[in-house]
Amino acid sequence: DSTIMDINEVIEKSYDKWTNGHLDTYSYLMILNTISGRTYNDIAQYPVYPWVLSNYHSKELDLNDSDSYRDFLYPIFAQDSETRENLKLKYESFEEDQKEFKYHSGSHYSNAGFVCYYLIRIKPFSQLAAEVQGEFFDTTDRLFFNIGAFYRVSEKYQELIPDIYTTPEILINLNKFYFGLNSEGNNIDNVCLPPWASHSPRLFCKILKKAIE
């Protein structure tokens, strides 16, 4: 009971600091991840950070425009009205004797595979990603190579990791791994970034970090 009280106290104090502007959002989310048992030391329980922006196509990005952000009223897998309606129908389609098993989405927003997916360009995660696929990298079309395209895929289930906000190196193929050509004939190398980041990983992370605040 005392442990629970201590945790509740930490949460309450952190929340007060955050809402009063004495703690930035990035740090507040890390505190929540830590309290939840998530850690950098276990890729199966890696910290989870949200997709904040939804605009990955414009030449310029207005952080004061609400249309630049995802809708936080709904989870990542329910960002558009058509999807929400389909999920609702799916949930309501469960038989009476399956009530306790009813769910909207059968996929989790974070797992070890997702972590290796984001960090495939840096060691030791590149080795881990290859081990999962039998000592080879996954099919090129399934690799992390375009942030905008991946956001559209992630609207089905997947959130981000904290590194995407702070570590531009994960977006650059510094180790010169050969990932191959995708189905469109493009060489998979550095992660393709949105126009508003001027194709600069450092600027991309800086803007993303600003957006989360």
Side-chain angles (χ1 to χ4, degrees), residues 36-49:
S36 300
R38 293 193 169 274
T39 171
Y40 285 108
N41 298 321
D42 183 356
I43 61 173
Q45 297 292 333
Y46 209 76
V48 178
Y49 271 63

Side-chain angles (χ1 to χ4, degrees), residues 115-133:
V115 176
C116 290
Y117 180 84
Y118 286 123
L119 302 177
I120 193 171
R121 288 168 177 78
I122 60 173
K123 300 176 181 180
F125 301 97
S126 49
Q127 290 95 323
L128 293 173
E131 286 176 10
V132 172
Q133 301 297 327

Side-chain angles (χ1 to χ4, degrees), residues 54-61 67 147-148 152 193-196:
S54 62
N55 182 345
Y56 296 96
H57 59 273
S58 298
K59 290 184 178 180
E60 295 183 0
L61 179 69
D67 289 338
I147 195 75
R152 293 191 291 276
L193 301 174
W196 49 256

Side-chain angles (χ1 to χ4, degrees), residues 1 13 21-22 33 46 64 68-69 89 93 95 101 128-129 135 146 148 155 183 196 208:
D1 289 346
K13 286 183 177 180
H22 301 305
N33 270 281
Y46 209 76
N64 294 316
S68 296
Y69 299 86
L89 292 173
S93 69
E95 301 294 339
F101 303 110
L128 293 173
E135 304 304 324
N146 185 306
E155 286 184 305
S183 58
W196 49 256
L208 215 61

